[in-house]
Amino acid sequence: MKISNTLFPVFIIACLVSCQNKQTLFRVVSSKHSGIHFANTIVENDSVNPIDLTNIYNGGGIGVGDFNNDGLEDLYFTGNQVANRLYLNKGNLKFEDVTDAANANGEGKWCRGASVVDINNDGLPDIYVSASILPNPEKRRNILYVNQGADKNGIPHFKDMAAEYGLDDTTHTTIEALFV
């Protein structure tokens, strides 16, 4: 059985549009227009199913922050059996997938929540990612993507520094709240 959360990106974009001062109604923004092609697809099998994994369909999370400091809110989606994706906001509800260049794909983990926080107070938003479900504790090690700044093309680059900050938890984490 194949499940896809294809409406999740549309919901997030609709929320961003609805934050304007004008009275507007929600409207569908196509992935062709937005450039957001994220789908948190879960494929069941004999060991990955709701009977053996009660919380399999808790889904992924999203972090919103201006990761390249250009004044536009960017989107970071977490995936379960798919890679996490980082989309830079180009304005006019258009986004560019810069995940690979930014080094923020989730490292093949079953990622759930994402919290945006400036962990080192350098003025750049960082991303703390929760990992869960998988039986190997190393594959459940949470990720702290510390923003290293944007390159000349405006693409932010991240380095996993969870161990250095003592945040590389290996328990089954769903979401986190960070107070710095």
Side-chain angles (χ1 to χ4, degrees):
M1 181 174 174
K2 189 174 180 181
I3 303 296
S4 177
N5 295 338
T6 56
L7 293 180
F8 188 66
V10 174
F11 171 75
I12 295 302
I13 291 172
C15 288
L16 290 173
V17 171
S18 69
C19 293
Q20 298 174 2
N21 290 335
K22 298 185 280 182
Q23 279 224 353
T24 59
L25 298 176
F26 287 107
R27 62 184 168 104
V28 174
V29 177
S30 72
S31 60
K32 183 177 178 182
H33 173 82
S34 71
I36 295 176
H37 301 283
F38 180 82
N40 189 27
T41 304
I42 296 174
V43 180
E44 289 184 19
N45 59 41
D46 61 345
S47 59
V48 177
N49 59 69
I51 294 171
D52 294 323
L53 300 171
T54 307
N55 298 319
I56 188 173
Y57 291 114
N58 278 10
I62 185 167
V64 179
D66 183 5
F67 300 114
N68 60 354
N69 282 340
D70 65 356
L72 300 171
E73 298 296 317
D74 308 309
L75 304 175
Y76 183 76
F77 293 90
T78 63
N80 301 150
Q81 291 179 321
V82 300
N84 298 354
R85 307 309 301 166
L86 174 62
Y87 291 93
L88 291 186
N89 190 339
K90 298 300 190 178
N92 196 29
L93 296 176
K94 293 183 186 267
F95 293 82
E96 177 186 1
D97 185 343
V98 297
T99 307
D100 294 332
N103 190 38
N105 68 10
E107 304 170 13
K109 298 177 180 180
W110 189 291
C111 297
R112 285 260 169 91
S115 293
V116 176
V117 61
D118 184 0
I119 196 78
N120 55 4
N121 293 314
D122 65 355
L124 300 171
D126 309 304
I127 309 167
Y128 188 55
V129 181
S130 296
S132 188
I133 293 285
L134 301 177
N136 179 349
E138 286 303 311
K139 287 300 224 172
R140 293 193 312 263
R141 192 171 296 283
N142 288 349
I143 304 165
L144 175 62
Y145 286 127
V146 176
N147 194 332
Q148 305 297 298
D151 63 20
K152 64 180 180 175
N153 297 317
I155 298 172
H157 294 270
F158 294 90
K159 180 180 178 185
D160 180 7
M161 298 182 72
E164 290 86 341
Y165 282 86
L167 296 171
D168 58 338
D169 185 12
T170 61
T171 61
H172 295 277
T173 312
T174 299
I175 189 65
E176 58 286 317
L178 300 173
F179 302 96
V180 290

